[in-house]
Structures are given as C-alpha cells and as structure tokens.
C-alpha cells in the first residue's frame, strides 16, 4: 500500500472510528444516567437551596433581549436574580434593558464600553450575589426548568465546577438551519455525552452554562483575550481539578446562522478558539496530574491532522490523476469501501442521537432528511475553518481583547 492509499485509509477511517466512539459513549451515558433521570422532573426547593445569579451579556440585542428576559423570569426556581451587562451596544439595547429593570426588581443592569463577552461576564460576576452563576446569551430562550436541572448537579457533588446545558436550534427555516438541528443532536450532543463518560468535556456551551461561583473565582473568572471564552473557562476549571457535567434536560433555544457566510464565520471563530486554548494550555495538559486530558488532547490533535490530510489527499489525488492516472487504482477502491462504511456509521449515529434527543424535542425527526447532507456540507466547512483558523490561533497576540460583533441569527430573525 503506497503513501496515497495510507493517507486515504486515515482520512476516511478516522471519522468512522470517532463516530463509533461517540455512539458507544452516548449510548452508555443514556443507559447509565440519562434514561433514569425523570423527564420532566418536579423539584421542591426550600430555604437551603443555593441562590442563583444569571449573567446576561448583551451586544446589539434590541430585537431579542426582551423575549429572553421575559422567559428568564418564568423560571421554576425561587432564589435567583439576573444581571444584564450591556457591552457598548450600538442599537437600542441599553434603553430596553433600563426599561425592563423597572418592571423586574430582580434585574440589575450594568453598562460598559465594548470590551467583549468575557469582560461583560467578569463585570457581572463582580456584582453577583449567587453561589451558582448561570450564563446565557442575550438572544436565547431558557427552558423554565433548566436552572433547576443544572443546580441539582452542584447540590449532588461538591466536585462539580461547571454544568453545560443542551442548546436546541430555533432557526429551522432553511436547509442550513435544519442540518444544524441534526448536528446539535447527533454531533454536539452525542460528543458531550461521550466526553462526559471518557473523563473530560471539551467545552461548556457559553449559550447555556452554570458554574460554582467559588470555582470561577479560584481561576480568576473569564479570560478576556480568548476568542472563545467558553472553551477557555472549561479547560481551566478542569485543569484546576473541577468536574464538568452535561445536563441534557437543561434546554436552551438558540438562534443559529442560516447563511453560508454566517455559518463559516461562526465555525471559523469556534475553530480558532479551540486552537488558542490548545496552544495556551498544552504544556499543562501533558503533566501526569492532568492525565485525564490526554484522550481529549489526542482527539484534538488527530482531528486537526485529519483536516490537513483531507486537503493533502485531494491535491495528491488530483495530481496523480493528471500525471499518472493508472498508477494508484487501489485508491478509488479504498474511497468506495471506506465511504460506504462512513455513510453507514453516520446513519447509525444520527439514528441513535435522534432517538435519545426525541425525548426533549419531538419535532427533531422532521430534520432527518436534511441531516443526511451533514457529512458532505458541514465537514467541508469545518475542515476549511480548522485549516485557516489554526495558523491564526498561533499568530494571535496574547492579551488582545476579544470583542464581538452581531452574529447571523437566521433568516427569520435577521429580518426582524
């Protein structure tokens, strides 16, 4: 087997291997924990329940922040307040927040110049009074029992530093939105379940997360120079000895891009953030005391190698066909063989995850057809963003503030 064939085996075999690992981990998580958890659950809270402070960083959220806050104050949790931080918005966010503060006494509004989401979260943390800190985005809708589900983890174990919830896609008006619905279930949700089983969670989703305040203060809050503050804080909490859990019942309905441009910008940011965290904390993760990180690190390293291997394989195959079209006939057979296996495993992965998540989202099966296109469309986008983002992560100046811009929130919401 020549070099091109070996590269083809790795390029097509690696996704199949990882999908199998995620499927096995997700099934174990479901059988061992998830299916035994009541849904919906009924909580009875007394005066010993910890107080919760919800941090709501906002930047240009005039179209969504009222709906977000209205839903927040319908939470079935008695001891909570909300701190909304206006991070130098250029629209009418500031005045709308001030008006909402007159309606809701438990809402505190802070204003600051635009310094980024992490800075806004740190500002809110400095004014927080709760033992548990919950973070959501300014355009998200939190399920009414989500806080209760996440708080229960902190009560059950003092080792829990963070809990990541279950983001559900609201924007399903286009093919891209429908494919993302399947992705959040079959890829993101299944990966979080598997990573929880195997020891470490790569990221606490910033759109719906909860932290033990003491654990946050021990690591100094959020770093303001990381482009993805949620990945960064996830790693630092776990490097500090904390445990991160995934709570699928803590649902949060989120707006996602429905244009290729918006999707590419979002995934490029995610990929660059992952690269920045990997580069900054690599020396810490390889220490023996942090050996729980090794599988996670190995997965990340090999996944980056896989992205570059795809490009290398495509270029090498094109050159071989132009110069020596009959030299490597086995490569076509490998592509056909592994391609068939990959399609079969992807089908199993989506079937398993849709079955598990249908417990929370009854309409998810409407996105089955569109999810078939995920490997063809999203793998290309994710691969391209990693190839571009990793060098950018290497070159990004440490200490530079990571400010934000208004994202693509889907066709329906962009028109509002």
């Amino acid at each position: 087997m020549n070099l091109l064939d070996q590269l083809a085996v790795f390029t097509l075999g690696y996704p199949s291997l990882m999908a199998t690992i995620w499927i096995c981990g997700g099934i174990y998580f479901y059988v061992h924990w998830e299916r035994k958890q009541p849904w919906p659950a009924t909580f009875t809270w007394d005066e010993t329940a910890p107080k919760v402070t919800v941090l709501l960083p906002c930047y240009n959220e005039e179209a969504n922040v009222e709906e977000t806050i209205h839903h927040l104050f319908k939470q079935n949790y008695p001891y909570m307040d909300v701190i909304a931080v206006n991070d130098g918005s250029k629209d009418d966010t500031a005045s709308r927040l001030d008006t909402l503060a007159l309606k809701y006494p438990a809402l505190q509004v802070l204003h600051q110049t635009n310094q980024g989401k992490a800075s806004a979260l740190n500002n809110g943390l400095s004014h927080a009074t709760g033992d548990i800190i919950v973070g959501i985005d300014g355009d998200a809708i939190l399920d009414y029992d989500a806080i209760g589900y996440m708080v229960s983890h902190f009560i059950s174990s003092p080792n829990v530093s963070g809990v990541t919830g279950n983001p559900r896609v609201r924007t399903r008006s286009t093919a891209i939105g429908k494919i993302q619905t399947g992705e959040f279930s079959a890829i993101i949700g299944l990966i979080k379940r598997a990573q929880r089983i195997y020891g470490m969670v790569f990221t606490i989703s910033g759109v719906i997360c909860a932290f033990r305040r003491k654990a946050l203060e021990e690591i100094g809050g959020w770093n303001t120079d990381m482009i993805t503050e949620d990945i960064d804080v996830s790693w630092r909490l776990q490097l500090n000895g904390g445990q991160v859990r995934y709570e699928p019942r803590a649902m949060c309905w989120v707006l996602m891009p429905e244009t290729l441009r918006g999707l590419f910008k979002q995934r490029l940011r995610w990929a660059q953030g992952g690269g920045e965290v990997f580069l900054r904390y690599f020396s810490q993760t390889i220490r023996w005391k942090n050996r729980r990180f090794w599988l996670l690190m190995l997965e990340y390293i090999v996944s980056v190698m896989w992205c570059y291997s795809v490009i290398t394989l495509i270029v090498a195959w094109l050159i071989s066909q132009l110069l020596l079209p009959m030299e490597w006939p086995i490569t076509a057979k490998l592509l056909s063989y592994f391609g068939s296996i990959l399609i079969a495993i992807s089908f199993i992965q989506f079937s398993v995850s849709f079955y598990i998540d249908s417990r929370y989202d009854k309409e998810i099966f409407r996105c089955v057809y569109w999810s078939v296109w995920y490997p063809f469309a999203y793998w290309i986008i994710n691969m391209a963003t990693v190839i571009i983002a990793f060098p950018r992560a290497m070159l990004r100046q440490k200490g530079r503030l990571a400010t934000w811009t208004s994202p693509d929130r889907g066709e329906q919401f962009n028109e509002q």
Side-chain angles (χ1 to χ4, degrees):
M1 186 180 293
N2 57 56
L3 184 60
L4 185 61
D5 293 327
Q6 292 175 6
L7 190 62
V9 169
F10 169 72
T11 302
L12 292 171
Y14 174 70
S16 302
L17 173 64
M18 292 310 303
T20 302
I21 292 173
W22 296 333
I23 292 169
C24 293
I27 291 175
Y28 184 85
F29 181 96
Y30 176 75
V31 172
H32 185 67
W33 283 318
E34 193 168 352
R35 70 171 182 170
K36 301 175 185 177
Q37 296 173 330
W39 170 258
T42 301
F43 295 101
T44 301
W45 305 103
D46 56 27
E47 63 277 359
T48 63
K51 183 180 178 182
V52 171
T53 294
V54 180
L55 300 185
L56 186 70
C58 301
Y59 179 73
N60 293 350
E61 297 289 0
E62 65 175 2
N64 305 294
V65 71
E66 292 179 349
E67 182 183 24
T68 295
I69 290 179
H70 289 327
H71 281 276
L72 266 180
F73 282 104
K74 293 181 180 180
Q75 282 290 306
N76 297 322
Y77 191 82
Y79 310 117
M80 60 164 280
D81 60 2
V82 179
I83 298 178
V85 185
N86 171 40
D87 187 41
S89 297
K90 299 177 182 178
D91 60 4
D92 197 37
T93 299
S95 62
R96 295 197 180 197
L97 286 174
D98 289 336
T99 301
L100 287 166
L102 298 176
K103 180 178 181 180
Y104 297 106
L107 172 63
Q108 180 181 0
V109 176
L110 305 176
H111 299 282
Q112 65 177 45
T113 58
N114 183 237
Q115 300 177 63
K117 183 178 180 180
S119 176
L121 288 168
N122 285 332
N123 190 2
L125 180 62
S126 68
H127 290 79
T129 58
D131 298 316
I132 306 299
I133 304 298
V134 170
I136 71 168
D137 284 352
D139 57 3
I141 302 299
L142 195 60
D143 193 72
Y144 297 153
D145 292 304
I147 288 180
Y149 288 126
M150 292 191 292
V151 166
S152 65
H153 287 277
F154 297 102
I155 295 175
S156 67
S157 172
N159 297 323
V160 175
S161 294
V163 177
T164 179
N166 186 2
R168 313 303 304 174
V169 177
R170 294 171 65 191
T171 38
R172 305 181 183 185
S173 59
T174 68
I176 291 177
K178 292 180 174 69
I179 293 174
Q180 283 183 103
T181 302
E183 177 195 30
F184 268 67
S185 172
I187 309 299
I188 297 176
L190 207 61
I191 288 176
K192 288 186 184 298
R193 289 177 172 91
Q195 289 178 342
R196 172 72 180 94
I197 291 296
Y198 300 137
M200 307 298 287
V201 176
F202 188 86
T203 179
I204 300 173
S205 299
V207 68
I208 169 61
C209 53
F211 306 95
R212 195 180 300 277
R213 179 180 176 180
K214 180 180 178 182
L216 269 179
E217 291 174 342
E218 286 177 355
I219 63 171
W222 288 267
N223 279 334
T224 58
D225 62 345
M226 302 295 280
I227 199 168
T228 49
E229 82 296 326
D230 49 359
I231 303 177
D232 176 76
V233 77
S234 307
W235 283 47
R236 289 191 293 127
L237 284 172
Q238 293 174 106
L239 284 170
N240 198 44
Q243 185 184 105
V244 169
R245 292 185 179 180
Y246 173 58
E247 177 48 77
R249 297 173 297 173
M251 293 189 295
C252 184
W253 300 90
V254 301
L255 305 180
M256 297 294 290
E258 288 194 292
T259 64
L260 285 175
R261 182 174 180 271
L263 180 65
F264 187 85
K265 289 175 64 177
Q266 179 199 62
R267 299 310 162 96
L268 184 63
R269 176 179 169 271
W270 289 2
Q272 182 176 340
E276 289 178 8
V277 170
F278 168 79
L279 293 169
R280 180 168 295 188
Y281 303 115
F282 176 76
S283 60
Q284 296 182 45
T285 58
I286 61 175
R287 297 172 185 171
W288 175 253
K289 69 175 183 177
N290 296 320
R291 57 191 177 277
R292 292 187 304 159
F293 262 94
W294 291 356
L295 285 177
L296 190 67
M297 294 293 289
L298 179 63
E299 177 189 343
Y300 178 80
I301 292 170
V302 178
S303 67
V304 173
M305 292 172 57
W306 175 80
C307 293
Y308 284 95
S309 75
V310 174
I311 292 296
T312 304
L313 180 64
I314 293 173
V315 172
W317 185 81
L318 288 174
I319 292 175
S320 71
Q321 294 305 301
L322 291 173
L323 301 180
L324 299 168
M326 300 301 294
E327 185 69 18
W328 293 324
I330 192 175
T331 302
K333 296 180 181 179
L334 285 171
L335 291 172
S336 176
Y337 175 74
F338 280 103
S340 300
I341 293 177
L342 187 55
I343 290 173
I345 293 177
S346 295
F347 176 77
I348 295 172
Q349 180 177 350
F350 277 99
S351 299
V352 169
S353 62
F354 276 26
Y355 171 77
I356 294 174
D357 269 2
S358 64
R359 186 188 194 196
Y360 317 107
D361 185 357
K362 300 299 182 183
E363 297 183 357
I364 194 170
F365 286 108
R366 296 183 180 182
C367 301
V368 169
Y369 168 76
W370 300 100
S371 298
V372 173
W373 302 102
Y374 178 86
F376 303 98
Y378 274 60
W379 279 5
I380 295 174
I381 293 174
N382 292 341
M383 174 197 66
T385 54
V386 169
I387 291 172
I388 297 171
F390 198 78
R392 290 177 62 169
M394 296 177 65
L395 297 174
R396 193 169 188 276
Q397 183 181 359
K398 186 176 181 179
R400 177 184 173 189
L401 278 179
T403 55
W404 50 1
T405 56
S406 298
D408 179 344
R409 294 187 173 95
E411 295 296 318
Q412 176 184 351
F413 293 88
N414 285 336
E415 293 172 359
Q416 294 179 355

